[in-house]
Amino acid sequence: MALNATQTAPTLTPAPRAGQRPALIQIRNLKKSFAGGRVQALSGIHLDIADGEFVCVVGPSGCGKSTLLRILAGLDDYDSGQVTLGGTPVTGPSRDVGVVFQQANLLPWLTVRENVALPLRVGGGRREGADDVDRLLDVAGLKDFGGRYPYELSGGMQQRAGICRALVRNPRILLMDEPFGALDALTRERMNLELQRIWQATGKTVLLITHSISEAIFLADRVIVMSARPGRVLRDLAVNIPRPRSNDTIISHPDYPALAKDIRGLLTGQGEE
Amino acid sequence: MSKPDITLAVADAAVTDASVESTPSTAHRRSKEPVNGTLIAAVGLVVLFGGWALAVRYLNIPSYILPSPTAVWKALWSGLAVSPTDPLGYYLPLWGTLKNAAIGLAAGGGLGLVLGSLMAESRTIEKLLMPYAFALQSLPKVAIAPLVVIWFGFGDGSKIAIAGLLAFFPILINSFTGLRAVEPEKIDLMRSLSASRLETYRIVKLPSAAPYIFAGLDMAVVYALLGTIVAEFLGAQQGMGVVITQAQAVTDVAGVFAALVILGAFGILLHGIVRGLEQRIVHWGRGRK
């Protein structure tokens, strides 16, 4: 991990909520490039995410939002800047972070229960506070499918198992990389509703990457709009729509059309540039 | 020159997939026009044997060139309808050949899996061993057999060594290829869980490479049998290779044919066993997208 955290702290304005709650995730002037510096993926990201907050990141394809998530997950290193989780600089994968991947990324040779229990088997074994696998399966509506193999499940069920797996170590932070992108629209809405319920029940801090504007508004306390490559934070929009939100009521909320219009404008404006 | 092996193995795996996928369409076609596959095969067999018998009889082919099917059947029966301990029967030589091929397969295949895994895990070991693997693979390995006989003698040792040498490469190359072909997302998953290298290997890489390894095993089984027979040709006390050379020495061509029939039957049987094992172990493959 080349953590050249030599850059001085930025003078840019902190995120609006940072003052109210202590920031669990702190990103300062984060830069990352690929291909030996020729392709700049992230050019100076500033972002604070408070404990228990649900943040969605939207942006045009290739804007580096997946790279941002991979850096937070400790899967990729970065060129410069500071990334801290709970005050500790990120130097690799952390037990306090659960990752939900694009597609469900389950292991086809393990049953659903074995997949969900995988994080308890590897990387140093069981630790205190680990959630009970069967309780999680129950919460996710997979109680009767623990003994099945992933290919016997629908796409939505597979991704619910993927979320259970990310939660089983009881991490403080959940990082989700377009988790529902491969699902049909109706399943996606149902998954959003369930994710909201799980989030409200567990109080995790969630960073979710999505292409869908409606998904971002439905789920997020804050929507971060990123620019086209090289990625930086274009706008940080608070979503003050009361919870629990439902798929029916959210679009009739007075804030919804303006928010959707703002995000769309920012994204398409980027596309035209 | 080990490239062909890779493509072979992959092609083999692809064929497996294709055949699995094509099953419903075959069934569909069968329901449309009632053509019985078993019947066609039976008719083909009858035509083959009938043609063979007629050709031998009416074209005056001498029996030391091509014996008649009945002569082959008689030779086969005389080798089979004896006590299992009869030294003139097939059972003792067959047991000797299969035992040596199996030991060679286990040793060579096991070493192939270990070295293939080490090469897949470490670029240094890959760089170190790959040139030798390529060089040895390019060599017609049967040509080494006389040398191996000098080293290991005319006993079981040389048979096991040559069987092992031939079984080694398909497993080495296929396990290496399969272990390198693991989806990066699955590696990312294990990394995000701070899994150890051994855990990632055991839980993700090895099962993921299993279809490749089985394709290699399928080839290795046949190669091990081939290696054992070749070693037996060069000199042995017992074995199917000896049965063939002894029959050849007295121009008992029907006896040679009978031994080949036995070996062919066992080749098919072993292939079936490997396929059955694969379907049992790689059980998730059926429902894979």
Side-chain angles (χ1 to χ4, degrees), chain B residues 165-212:
Chain B
L165 186 69
L166 263 66
F168 170 72
F169 282 94
I171 305 263
L172 174 84
I173 298 300
N174 277 34
S175 55
F176 171 73
T177 312
L179 290 166
R180 278 284 168 87
V182 179
E183 290 169 61
E185 297 81 38
K186 295 198 161 54
I187 305 293
D188 279 346
L189 165 70
M190 295 306 273
R191 282 184 58 209
S192 80
L193 297 173
S194 310
S196 73
R197 214 163 170 170
L198 192 65
E199 285 168 339
T200 304
Y201 177 80
R202 192 167 48 83
I203 299 171
V204 171
K205 290 187 178 177
L206 202 55
S208 175
Y212 287 82

Side-chain angles (χ1 to χ4, degrees), chain A residues 217-239:
Chain A
I217 299 174
F218 180 86
L219 288 170
D221 292 328
R222 278 161 61 204
V223 178
I224 308 294
V225 184
M226 279 177 70
S227 69
R229 194 165 63 206
R232 67 204 150 75
V233 175
L234 210 59
R235 193 76 69 83
D236 188 338
L237 295 153
V239 182

Side-chain angles (χ1 to χ4, degrees), chain B residues 12 16 170-171 212-223 267 270-272 274-275 278:
Chain B
D12 203 315
T16 318
I171 305 263
Y212 287 82
I213 296 170
F214 270 105
L217 183 65
D218 209 7
M219 285 189 279
V221 167
V222 177
Y223 285 2
L270 292 173
H271 173 73
V274 171
R275 269 290 148 79
E278 176 176 9

Side-chain angles (χ1 to χ4, degrees), chain A residues 1 70 74-75 93-94 99 101 105-110 118-119 121-123 149 151 165 169, chain B residues 185-186 188-196 199 202-204 207-208 283-284 286-289:
Chain A
M1 292 279 148
R70 289 179 62 85
L75 293 172
S94 157
V99 184
F101 295 85
N105 203 10
L106 300 174
L107 301 179
W109 41 88
L110 299 182
L118 180 69
R121 263 173 82 191
V122 302
Y149 285 90
Y151 67 82
R165 180 178 61 193
R169 276 179 178 175
Chain B
E185 297 81 38
K186 295 198 161 54
D188 279 346
L189 165 70
M190 295 306 273
R191 282 184 58 209
S192 80
L193 297 173
S194 310
S196 73
E199 285 168 339
R202 192 167 48 83
I203 299 171
V204 171
S208 175
H283 56 85
W284 62 90
R286 274 168 287 158
R288 198 176 37 189
K289 280 176 273 180

Side-chain angles (χ1 to χ4, degrees), chain A residues 12 28 45 57 64 87 91 107 116 128 145 150 153 186 208 224 248 265 273:
Chain A
L12 270 148
R28 290 281 175 277
I45 299 278
V57 177
T91 54
L107 301 179
V116 171
E128 280 176 59
F145 294 89
L153 269 58
L186 277 175
L208 181 141
I224 308 294
D248 298 323
E273 269 176 12

Side-chain angles (χ1 to χ4, degrees), chain B residues 248-260:
Chain B
Q248 184 234 10
V250 295
T251 344
D252 174 12
V253 182
V256 174
F257 266 72
L260 293 179

Side-chain angles (χ1 to χ4, degrees), chain B residues 2-277:
Chain B
S2 79
K3 280 255 162 66
D5 265 354
I6 299 175
T7 40
L8 241 178
V10 174
D12 203 315
V15 165
T16 318
D17 279 356
S19 65
V20 168
E21 278 171 19
S22 72
T23 313
S25 72
T26 317
H28 183 64
R29 200 185 307 140
R30 194 174 293 158
S31 67
K32 237 187 211 169
E33 38 178 297
V35 176
N36 192 328
T38 325
L39 188 73
I40 291 175
V43 167
L45 212 61
V46 166
V47 169
L48 175 74
F49 278 95
W52 176 7
L54 291 173
V56 168
R57 177 170 295 189
Y58 295 106
L59 297 178
N60 287 321
I61 298 172
S63 66
Y64 59 84
I65 300 288
L66 185 66
S68 71
T70 43
V72 173
W73 172 250
K74 270 183 199 154
L76 195 60
W77 188 247
S78 75
L80 288 173
V82 294
S83 141
T85 53
D86 189 328
L88 294 175
Y90 289 133
Y91 301 105
L92 282 178
L94 192 59
W95 166 247
T97 299
L98 289 178
K99 186 191 68 186
N100 286 341
I103 297 171
L105 176 69
L111 190 67
L113 181 59
V114 169
L115 288 184
S117 302
L118 289 174
M119 277 163 58
E121 285 293 313
S122 155
R123 299 269 169 193
T124 313
I125 296 177
E126 183 200 349
K127 291 247 173 11
L128 185 74
L129 295 183
M130 203 44 126
Y132 297 102
F134 275 164
L136 260 177
Q137 178 68 354
S138 323
L139 196 72
K141 281 170 290 295
V142 170
I144 315 173
L147 193 60
V148 175
V149 171
I150 292 175
W151 289 342
F152 291 90
F154 289 105
D156 288 341
S158 58
K159 282 82 200 162
I160 293 169
I162 294 171
L165 186 69
L166 263 66
F168 170 72
F169 282 94
I171 305 263
L172 174 84
I173 298 300
N174 277 34
S175 55
F176 171 73
T177 312
L179 290 166
R180 278 284 168 87
V182 179
E183 290 169 61
E185 297 81 38
K186 295 198 161 54
I187 305 293
D188 279 346
L189 165 70
M190 295 306 273
R191 282 184 58 209
S192 80
L193 297 173
S194 310
S196 73
R197 214 163 170 170
L198 192 65
E199 285 168 339
T200 304
Y201 177 80
R202 192 167 48 83
I203 299 171
V204 171
K205 290 187 178 177
L206 202 55
S208 175
Y212 287 82
I213 296 170
F214 270 105
L217 183 65
D218 209 7
M219 285 189 279
V221 167
V222 177
Y223 285 2
L225 205 55
L226 169 78
T228 312
I229 303 279
V230 166
E232 284 168 359
F233 283 170
L234 294 172
Q237 275 86 46
Q238 185 183 276
M240 288 310 283
V242 177
V243 170
I244 292 173
T245 44
Q246 280 174 351
Q248 184 234 10
V250 295
T251 344
D252 174 12
V253 182
V256 174
F257 266 72
L260 293 179
V261 169
I262 298 281
L263 287 177
F266 266 87
I268 293 169
L269 180 71
L270 292 173
H271 173 73
I273 290 173
V274 171
R275 269 290 148 79
L277 262 176

Side-chain angles (χ1 to χ4, degrees), chain A residues 21-25 49-53 172 203-205:
Chain A
R21 282 183 280 180
L24 182 61
I25 302 173
I49 298 174
D51 196 359
E53 216 173 7
R172 293 170 76 188
K204 304 290 177 200
T205 305

